[in-house]
Each structure stands twice: as C-alpha cells, then as structure tokens.
Amino acid sequence: TWSGNGQLTMGTNLFTTTLNNSGTFQDQNTGSPTIANQGGTTSFVNTGTYQKTGAGTTTINPLFNNQAPGTVAVQTGTLTLNGGGTSTGTFTVGTGGTVGFGGGTHTLSGDITGTGTGVVQFGGGTVALTGGTYNVAGTTRASGGTTTITSGVTVASLGALDVAVGTLTLTSGQALSAPTLSLTSGTLGGTDTLTVAGASTWSAGTMTGTGTTTLNGPLTLSTGGNKTLAGGRTLTLTDT
C-alpha cells in the first residue's frame, strides 16, 4: 500500500533498476506523488494489479510495462504514465478516474475499458494502440503528442471525443461513432468514418486524412481560431 503522498525515487546512473509487481499495488495517495527516474534505466513492470483509489494525481516517470495478465485499475483520481512502455495487460478506469499516457513511446495491445465518466487521456509522446478492445463510455481525450488507433484494435466505444492538442489518428478500419465531439486545437485524422450523434464544437484545429466525419447533431464553429479541413477529408453536416 502506497499512501502519504511521498515521492518514490528509482535509479542510479549506469545501472538498470526494476520494480516488479505481481501482487496488488494499492495507490491510495490523495496528493500529487511521483515515482521519479533518478538515472540509468528504470522500469515498473506490472504483472499483478496496480489499483489507484486515492483522489490525487500520481505520476510515474520510469518505463511502465503492464504485462498480461497484469491489470491497471484507476478507480478514482489520476494516474499519468510519462515514461512510455509496452503493455499487453488491461487498463480500466471508472467514474472519477483518469488514466493518462504521457511522454515516451507507448505500445498498447491489451484491453482498455472506461466506465461511467472515466477518462482515457493521450497527453504526450507517441502512443500506438495495436490490439485488444477499446471500450470507453466516458471520454477519449487527446491533449498532446501523437496517438494512433490501428487496425488491430476492436473499437467498441470511444465515448465523448475531445481533441484538445496533438494528433489523434483513427485507422481501425471500422465505422466509428461518438456521442459528442470537441476539437479545440490539434488534429483529428485517419481513414476511418466517424459519426457524431450529438453536439460538436470546432473552435480551432485540423480535420485531415481520407476518412469521413459525419456530424448528425448541431455544429458550433466558435472563436477566431483557424480551422482546417484537408488531406482528402470529407465533412458531412446533417443538422445546423
């Protein structure tokens, strides 16, 4: 059990340092603790359960490999993974929770599930979703970096789609849908067809790639920010 909001430091120059968890690692922190990389090569390898129950924001800077049958369960609060990693295990996020994939290079081939208002956030670096089932009821948010959902992923639900910064590329080969869309900056791209049932807001940013975006609800073109439709994209408006 980890509580008290203290920092955990890993690593020494020229050495490889690894934290292996095959049991249940309970993160009950309510503040903003960090697992910091002090030097050398550091990694957190989870083959058990990493459970985030504290309402604070935990940041993990070393490489984070969530290896099957490992599970990361963010029940509340925020878990931000800033060091990249290769993960075949599952990630789940519940109401009041956010799991964030930040800097580094993340390759994710396990299931990602969000229930209630849970948020899956792609916040920096390079993220490739290459397998598993993506089923998020709450929000999928791009807030930095480059994220690609590839043809190896079964997309059951994106939830509300929020492209704030960075690039989100949809190349799953499926017809995708979202209840709402917010494009405030950054780029929404790819070859997939995306249908938005409800309200969409486009205040700045780019839609690109040879896919189609169909907006069946009202579209608000707000603010003076530049809005670009390019790259062979088709935008279809069926409401006002």
Side-chain angles (χ1 to χ4, degrees):
T1 300
W2 182 24
S3 61
N5 304 317
Q7 177 170 291
L8 172 62
T9 300
M10 294 176 58
T12 306
N13 286 337
L14 305 180
F15 287 89
T16 297
T17 305
T18 304
L19 192 164
N20 287 315
N21 175 56
S22 60
T24 300
F25 189 101
Q26 294 186 342
D27 178 353
Q28 298 177 354
N29 291 290
T30 58
S32 301
T34 300
I35 299 180
N37 182 358
Q38 186 70 18
T41 301
T42 59
S43 60
F44 188 129
V45 179
N46 180 61
T47 56
T49 299
Y50 185 109
Q51 187 176 65
K52 170 69 173 161
T53 57
T57 297
T58 297
T59 301
I60 299 180
N61 289 329
L63 197 73
F64 190 92
N65 295 324
N66 181 34
Q67 297 294 335
T71 298
V72 173
V74 183
Q75 296 177 2
T76 190
T78 299
L79 176 65
T80 301
L81 306 174
N82 279 343
T86 300
S87 294
T88 57
T90 63
F91 290 87
T92 65
V93 57
T95 292
T98 298
V99 60
F101 300 95
T105 299
H106 291 274
T107 301
L108 309 173
S109 58
D111 293 346
I112 299 175
T113 302
T115 60
T117 60
V119 176
V120 177
Q121 179 164 299
F122 304 106
T126 301
V127 182
L129 283 72
T130 61
T133 298
Y134 190 90
N135 188 7
V136 174
T139 300
T140 296
R141 176 176 296 139
S143 60
T146 300
T147 300
T148 304
I149 299 179
T150 73
S151 60
V153 182
T154 299
V155 181
S157 175
L158 291 170
L161 198 55
D162 179 9
V163 181
V165 184
T167 299
L168 177 63
T169 302
L170 304 175
T171 59
S172 71
Q174 301 162 65
L176 305 181
S177 62
T180 60
L181 170 65
S182 174
L183 181 57
T184 56
S185 187
T187 299
L188 175 64
T191 56
D192 286 346
T193 295
L194 173 67
T195 301
V196 180
S200 296
T201 300
W202 189 3
S203 54
T206 299
M207 292 190 201
T208 189
T210 57
T212 297
T213 303
T214 299
L215 305 182
N216 288 334
L219 169 64
T220 300
L221 296 169
S222 62
T223 80
N226 291 331
K227 307 163 188 68
T228 302
L229 186 67
R233 194 76 176 179
T234 298
L235 175 62
T236 300
L237 310 176
T238 66
D239 203 291
T240 57

